[in-house]
Amino acid sequence: MKGRESHPLLRGGRRVSSYSHGFSSSEIESLAAICQTLVPPLPPETITKQHSHNQAIVSFYKASASQHPIPHEVAELMVTRGQPQAVFLARLILTLLSFRLGTLLLCGYLCFDWNWPFIHNFSEISLEKREKILKKWSRERYLLPLRVVFVMIKMFCLFDFFARTDEKSENPAWEAIGYHVDTREPSNKPRGERPLQKGIVETVHENENDHSLFQRLVDHGLQVTVDHEHNLFEIKCDVVVVGSGCGGGVAAAVLASSGQKVLVLEKGNYFVAEDYSSLEGPSMLELYESGGLLSTLDGKFMVFAGSAVGGGSAVNWSACIETPDSVLRDWFVEHKIPLFGSLDYRAAMDKVSKRIGVTEHCTEEGFQNQVLRKGCENLGLKVESVARNTPEEHYCGSCNYGCRTGDKKGTDVTWLVDAVDNGAVILAGFKAEKFILVDNKDSIRSKKCLGVTATALNKNVTRKLQIKAKATISACGSLLTPPLMISSGLENPNIGTNLHLHPVLLAWGYIPDHVSELKGKTFEGGIITSIHKVVSEDSKVQAIIESPAMGPASFAASFPWISGRELKDRMLRYGRIAQLFALVRDQGSGEVKVEGKIKYRLSKNDKENLKTGLRQALRILVAAGAEEVGTYRSDGHRIRCKGIKEEDLEEFIGSIEVVGGMASRGEHWSVYFSAHQMGSCRMGATEEDGAVDQNGESWEAEGLFVCDGSVLPSAIGINPMITIESTSYCISKKIADSLKKDIPSTEN
């Protein structure tokens, strides 16, 4: 890949000489055999005549995922990113497959042979039979561990195969499938000081140690003392904010501009436009929770959340949609929270939109949004433009890997810059451990929060941080705020419950470039620039339909695996497979009380709305000219549309149902997605209704506030950036006012 040299953590081609996965040689042998079955070397006769002279495609069909070191990389991903229970099952099954009797137990008669030794272990079975075994595991309804292990290995294997790069940051499969990495440079912006340079303290560098950290903290104007007995640095400030995303970034800016000394803790690293590589593998690894491979405990949902300075705003899809009136009315009337019926909240939405540079129009739409718009127009459906925090001409399909042109206005280039300009300090690479809580006698709240403790992720920094502050703000998102509060000793039952995920199901349609005026590739252009709302007969929005960003590795890992041949044939079409998703404002909910342990259950109404949305997405794809359409159901549910009769098409669409996840007992299952998480520390009119009050303050702990998506009373049904930032703006304004009132007493 030609162009600038990106940040070392975001470059491709990094190789390790040894692995820490701990798999035995026999486990790796079984794993390699599964990887080879998933991505097999195919004979020349399987290549169509039109591709037989394309050397990149010929090499692609010859390639296999069993090639070293892919099985080791897959094992490493499993151990570092998989759910521990699933990893245990996988290792057990891989071990059994290394023995003949174990293979007989798990694979049945397909391991038999007429020749000695009559029964083979898995790696000795022919590729054709191994493929049949994996197909059977995918449909397994009784021995569910086999299905779970199949899905786990399939996802990690295919992700690694299409994401891994060489020293030149290239993958040989990309040329074959017509994929290219975005190489655009920042427009009209000479490289200079990084926007947060004067206020950022980073610990990513190998030469960082306790001494250098102490010196830099002092240099940034912080009060720091060394506690040798407890091996920690004690830092004093006015406000400490845990997290730097849509909630934390806004809170830091508002409070710093009010004259408070603000310290922001962020466990992720700091990157600027020039750092971003747009490489799917390292970008997902560094910019997302669990490297973008986080799932619910049952594996039903893939959950995406940002993890860098700027949080979700650094990797989101730029959509800027104001909180719907119906939602504000629900929160004001039903949940009895005055904030959401106030003029202050509406003014906050205006201020937020202005600060992050929201534009209403798009000069040129990308392929998938063209498909959405054309399909809706051909069906006579209403399609709306989506406002974005980018210039109107912004044409970037890789903002989900960080905006390499620097045009997207995340908190890292807006609110956090304001905070730093007003003296705030941002500590990157520090993970909050616990809030410092003490008994609070003679007060309505039983406890008082004095700050937070944190640990550097760089092992060379051995001293912990004990940060003392007048106000402590948790803004680490709906997945991390509740576990942090619970591990600190808070017990309100609303903490960690009421988690909403905005469930998403995907539909796809193949539109060959030679038969359509719709130009471009699926990975090009603004990610979300159009939206269609599916409305019921009583005018209620059942679902919204938008387009996703999905690189080749994520696409291959998530898409149904039918066979090795079908995988390679499909990936050749990747660039012209338009994808649309149906998203619902979920009434069902889940919980996250321990970090990384997410539980979630759809309601019956959610399933109906998802079904309606998915069916509508398929109709839109067909109307836009797709020759073939389908869903992500495990059996590859699809239909060829070219020349099909209307009644046959409607019969197919009418057959679309919302099936369970991989741990369900149904023969067919599907992968669900979530890019929005909210409500897990919701605001409530009383302690029984919520975890925090209408000022964002914990009902249990004085001085502890929450400013992120977890405070939202329910799901909102649209992209939540504006809602989260506006809510944080209002909460932090109130905190600033209360701290100003407290100044005389704190100085005495």
Side-chain angles (χ1 to χ4, degrees):
M1 183 179 75
K2 297 179 181 179
R4 65 177 183 228
E5 191 171 80
S6 55
H7 193 284
L9 291 174
L10 300 178
R11 293 176 202 159
R14 286 186 289 161
R15 293 289 176 264
V16 295
S17 56
S18 61
Y19 296 90
S20 58
H21 52 65
F23 280 41
S24 67
S25 58
S26 59
E27 288 173 309
I28 289 294
E29 183 180 12
S30 299
L31 180 59
I34 294 176
C35 291
Q36 184 187 52
T37 312
L38 293 167
V39 187
L42 298 174
E45 56 268 23
T46 59
I47 304 174
T48 60
K49 190 174 181 180
Q50 74 177 102
H51 295 139
S52 59
H53 298 294
N54 185 317
Q55 189 54 49
I57 293 178
V58 171
S59 298
F60 174 56
Y61 273 74
K62 288 181 179 178
S64 168
S66 63
Q67 295 166 323
H68 182 79
I70 295 176
H72 287 281
E73 292 172 350
V74 173
E76 200 80 4
L77 281 173
M78 290 168 64
V79 170
T80 56
R81 307 298 175 192
Q83 293 289 353
Q85 303 95 318
V87 176
F88 173 80
L89 278 176
R91 296 193 64 177
L92 176 62
I93 287 173
L94 290 174
T95 299
L96 288 172
L97 291 175
S98 67
F99 297 100
R100 294 188 178 94
L101 288 179
T103 303
L104 174 62
L105 175 67
L106 300 177
C107 305
Y109 71 91
L110 287 169
C111 67
F112 289 154
D113 196 346
W114 290 108
N115 300 315
W116 176 262
F118 305 120
I119 300 175
H120 293 300
N121 66 31
F122 187 80
S123 63
E124 296 169 342
I125 300 173
S126 69
L127 183 59
E128 181 182 5
K129 287 185 176 181
R130 274 186 271 141
E131 190 170 270
K132 290 180 180 179
I133 291 168
L134 293 192
K135 289 179 181 179
K136 182 181 177 184
W137 287 2
S138 176
R139 299 189 303 270
E140 183 60 59
R141 301 173 64 182
Y142 301 106
L143 288 175
L144 283 180
L146 291 177
R147 181 193 285 183
V148 170
V149 170
F150 161 76
V151 175
M152 183 185 195
I153 296 176
K154 169 244 180 184
M155 294 191 78
F156 287 139
C157 173
L158 298 186
F159 184 88
D160 185 73
F161 184 83
F162 288 99
R164 65 193 313 272
T165 58
D166 59 22
E167 290 73 14
K168 296 180 180 179
S169 294
E170 295 174 351
N171 181 309
W174 292 349
E175 183 180 352
I177 66 176
Y179 175 71
H180 59 81
V181 173
D182 189 357
T183 57
R184 291 171 306 142
E185 300 294 329
S187 53
N188 304 319
K189 294 177 183 176
R191 181 157 189 162
E193 185 179 88
R194 301 190 298 170
L196 303 177
Q197 188 61 43
K198 65 182 179 182
I200 192 90
V201 175
E202 300 173 84
T203 59
V204 68
H205 308 293
E206 291 184 1
N207 59 355
E208 190 70 60
N209 56 44
D210 292 334
H211 176 74
S212 61
L213 174 62
F214 175 82
Q215 191 59 52
R216 291 204 290 144
L217 292 173
V218 172
D219 291 345
H220 280 81
L222 293 169
Q223 297 180 45
V224 188
T225 56
V226 182
D227 184 335
H228 295 284
E229 181 181 353
H230 299 99
N231 194 36
L232 55 81
F233 292 129
E234 183 176 295
I235 303 173
K236 290 185 178 180
C237 60
D238 295 322
V239 180
V240 58
V241 182
V242 184
S244 62
C246 294
V250 173
V254 170
L255 287 155
S257 65
S258 73
Q260 306 297 328
K261 184 63 177 179
V262 175
L263 179 62
V264 179
L265 277 180
E266 171 56 58
K267 67 182 176 64
N269 292 312
Y270 176 46
F271 303 104
V272 297
E274 292 83 3
D275 292 329
Y276 294 123
S277 65
S278 295
L279 292 171
E280 185 176 10
S283 298
M284 295 287 281
L285 180 67
E286 288 296 327
L287 303 176
Y288 288 82
E289 289 293 336
S290 295
L293 297 170
L294 179 64
S295 72
T296 51
L297 282 174
D298 61 4
K300 185 173 184 175
F301 279 79
M302 294 301 299
V303 182
F304 300 97
S307 181
V309 172
S313 74
V315 294
N316 71 13
W317 301 349
S318 306
C320 295
I321 305 175
E322 291 192 348
T323 318
D325 288 341
S326 59
V327 174
L328 289 176
R329 194 161 47 249
D330 176 37
W331 293 350
F332 175 45
V333 177
E334 299 299 324
H335 291 268
K336 299 179 175 60
I337 302 174
L339 169 64
F340 297 109
S342 69
L343 293 177
D344 286 344
Y345 184 81
R346 293 191 179 275
M349 286 198 287
D350 292 338
K351 289 185 174 71
V352 164
S353 295
K354 183 178 180 180
R355 182 61 189 96
I356 63 176
V358 174
T359 58
E360 298 292 334
H361 303 288
C362 173
T363 304
E364 180 184 6
E365 288 196 302
F367 171 60
Q368 295 191 129
N369 284 277
Q370 292 176 54
V371 170
L372 174 56
R373 187 171 292 276
K374 181 182 179 182
C376 287
E377 290 173 348
N378 288 346
L379 290 171
L381 301 173
K382 183 179 180 181
V383 59
E384 303 172 38
S385 296
V386 176
R388 300 180 295 163
N389 58 334
T390 67
E392 292 186 351
E393 65 274 10
H394 188 62
Y395 189 81
C396 173
S398 61
C399 273
N400 54 315
Y401 308 135
C403 184
R404 59 183 293 123
T405 65
D407 292 328
K408 185 174 74 170
K409 304 303 181 186
T411 62
D412 51 319
V413 293
T414 54
W415 298 106
L416 289 174
V417 174
D418 297 344
V420 165
D421 286 345
N422 284 284
V425 179
I426 302 168
L427 303 187
F430 282 89
K431 183 173 173 58
E433 284 192 336
K434 287 186 178 182
F435 295 120
I436 305 169
L437 303 178
V438 296
D439 290 337
N440 195 21
K441 297 180 179 179
D442 303 321
S443 175
I444 297 175
R445 290 171 168 83
S446 61
K447 296 183 182 299
K448 185 171 184 176
C449 184
L450 302 181
V452 65
T453 59
T455 303
L457 299 183
N458 185 334
K459 300 304 180 185
N460 292 330
V461 178
T462 62
R463 292 189 188 275
K464 292 185 177 184
L465 303 184
Q466 186 178 77
I467 303 164
K468 298 288 187 69
K470 293 183 288 184
T472 302
I473 297 175
S474 185
C476 39
S478 293
L479 301 180
L480 294 176
T481 280
L484 180 58
M485 295 179 79
I486 290 171
S487 67
S488 302
L490 298 182
E491 298 177 345
N492 184 297
N494 291 290
I495 301 174
T497 58
N498 312 303
L499 173 67
H500 296 279
L501 296 182
H502 275 177
V504 159
L505 281 177
L506 284 162
W508 59 270
Y510 173 58
I511 304 177
D513 51 11
H514 63 274
V515 296
S516 175
E517 73 277 14
L518 303 174
K519 302 304 179 185
K521 302 288 187 182
T522 189
F523 49 85
E524 296 173 339
I527 299 170
I528 294 178
T529 56
S530 295
I531 182 174
H532 167 64
K533 297 173 183 175
V534 183
V535 181
S536 64
E537 292 181 357
D538 57 354
S539 300
K540 291 183 178 179
V541 176
Q542 293 178 280
I544 63 171
I545 296 176
E546 296 175 325
S547 61
M550 194 171 280
S554 300
F555 173 75
S558 306
F559 205 89
W561 182 86
I562 309 304
S563 70
R565 167 71 185 274
E566 191 278 337
L567 166 74
K568 292 192 173 182
D569 290 345
R570 178 200 341 124
M571 291 306 295
L572 291 189
R573 297 178 167 190
Y574 162 70
R576 293 290 292 185
I577 294 180
Q579 298 186 87
L580 301 178
F581 64 80
L583 178 153
V584 300
R585 183 189 180 199
D586 45 327
Q587 296 176 9
S589 64
E591 66 176 49
V592 56
K593 297 187 175 184
V594 178
E595 185 174 338
K597 308 297 183 185
I598 307 168
K599 299 177 182 178
Y600 184 83
R601 192 175 186 86
L602 288 165
S603 73
K604 183 178 180 180
N605 192 61
D606 296 335
K607 294 177 183 178
E608 283 299 312
N609 287 337
L610 275 171
K611 179 175 71 175
T612 301
L614 193 58
R615 290 179 176 183
Q616 188 81 313
L618 287 165
R619 290 191 180 94
I620 291 169
L621 289 163
V622 173
E627 288 192 353
E628 186 179 27
V629 297
T631 69
Y632 273 52
R633 203 174 77 178
S634 57
D635 61 340
H637 197 208
R638 65 189 70 188
I639 190 170
R640 288 194 60 81
C641 312
K642 192 174 181 180
I644 193 174
K645 294 179 181 179
E646 183 69 26
E647 55 266 31
D648 292 336
L649 178 60
E650 279 304 314
E651 182 182 351
F652 169 78
I653 292 177
S655 71
I656 299 296
E657 297 291 338
V658 173
V659 296
M662 68 173 180
S664 66
R665 292 287 179 181
E667 180 178 351
H668 304 311
W669 49 272
S670 190
V671 177
Y672 292 70
F673 300 88
S674 166
H676 309 150
Q677 302 87 41
M678 66 219 86
S680 56
C681 212
R682 72 181 179 189
M683 189 179 287
T686 68
E687 192 170 356
E688 289 71 33
D689 296 327
V692 299
D693 64 17
Q694 63 175 325
N695 297 318
E697 189 171 15
S698 164
W699 285 107
E700 296 175 88
E702 180 183 337
L704 176 59
F705 300 83
V706 179
C707 282
D708 58 31
S710 69
V711 302
L712 303 184
S714 69
I716 57 177
I718 46 90
N719 306 71
M721 175 164 59
I722 295 295
T723 301
I724 295 172
E725 293 199 9
S726 301
T727 303
S728 178
Y729 185 90
C730 292
I731 292 174
S732 51
K733 275 286 188 183
K734 292 179 180 179
I735 298 172
D737 290 342
S738 68
L739 289 176
K740 285 180 181 178
K741 294 176 184 177
D742 289 344
I743 285 176
S745 61
T746 57
E747 289 179 344
N748 292 332

